[in-house]
Amino acid sequence: MQKLIVAVFAVAASLGMSGALPASDTGSADALLHQAVAGSWRSDAHKARDQYRHPIQTLEFFGLQPDMTVVELAPGGGWFTEILAPVLKGHGHLIEATGKTTGKFADMLQANKANFGEVKLVEFVPPTKTDLGAPGSADMVVTFRNTHDWLNDSEAELDSVFDAAYKVLKAGGVLGIEEHRARPYSDAKQSSDALHRIPEDYMINMGLKHGFMLAGTSEINANPKDDESINIHNLQPDGTDPKLKAIGESDRMTLKFVKPKQ
């Protein structure tokens, strides 16, 4: 499978324990991430997807540190939340920007409060509700496999997401994006609508358009078995179709943007 080759704009920039992480132990990010991934609060089904989603490598690529203020956009059921929250507990702050601040996701956070600590919920419904916090208050904004959902509605909606992330980040702050990859230079809106995928060149240009610098790209979540022609909702490695099961999860880009220092 042909991979998109991009020029990277450089900027200066195994513990197997379960149970709650001690708030008094700042530890290394790597140690805390390993503890969180092995945590007893994560279901076996969620852990089974680690081989495809590479949570430790992805968050280390973004530069996650336990004392950061991190905003996660559109957390869904909380697959990454249950890793981010324990790492940041007692050291930093986690803000979950979600469609509504009550319901199943909020209940999950409350039920795991001993492991997650205090997690702040903010309503995030772009393009109308995009206030993620005080300007320049966050060290990192992350979103996983969501950008196609905003583009499915309109490019203006995706623009509003990038604007919101830029506004809340400190100078030097990181925007980390993981997204299902479409074939290089394909029509972004068409790919998003039909396959729930976005070309990597489009995503990079979107970040640059909104004032970010590209700090790096990673193939952590690449999958050469995926030819990028399949609707991502049909890729279910726990399904019954042997062809799709052999592919695993989708081929995904992992992008690290940085808000320039003034």
Side-chain angles (χ1 to χ4, degrees), residues 180-191:
H180 307 286
R181 187 155 41 196
R183 288 179 172 173
Y185 307 110
S186 56
D187 182 275
K189 189 69 169 68
Q190 187 178 56
S191 297

Side-chain angles (χ1 to χ4, degrees), residues 15-22 31 34-42 47 115:
L15 299 179
M17 299 170 63
S18 61
L21 306 185
H34 276 83
Q35 291 182 54
V37 167
S40 59
W41 53 90
R42 298 187 69 217
K47 290 179 179 180
N115 298 314

Side-chain angles (χ1 to χ4, degrees), residues 187-208:
D187 182 275
K189 189 69 169 68
Q190 187 178 56
S191 297
S192 181
D193 289 344
L195 305 175
H196 305 283
R197 299 173 181 265
I198 297 178
E200 188 168 333
D201 55 284
Y202 175 90
M203 288 300 300
I204 290 173
N205 286 331
M206 178 66 72
L208 298 178

Side-chain angles (χ1 to χ4, degrees), residues 122-179:
V122 297
E123 190 174 8
F124 186 66
V125 188
T128 57
K129 295 182 179 181
T130 58
D131 185 1
L132 298 172
S137 61
D139 298 289
M140 181 177 287
V141 175
V142 292
T143 189
F144 306 96
R145 314 188 325 170
N146 293 310
T147 49
H148 66 275
D149 290 322
W150 296 307
L151 182 58
N152 283 352
D153 289 332
S154 69
E155 186 171 85
E157 184 167 308
L158 184 57
D159 281 328
S160 74
V161 173
F162 274 85
D163 285 338
Y166 192 92
K167 182 178 179 182
V168 78
L169 281 169
K170 301 174 181 177
V174 170
L175 170 61
I177 295 176
E178 178 195 341
E179 180 54 271

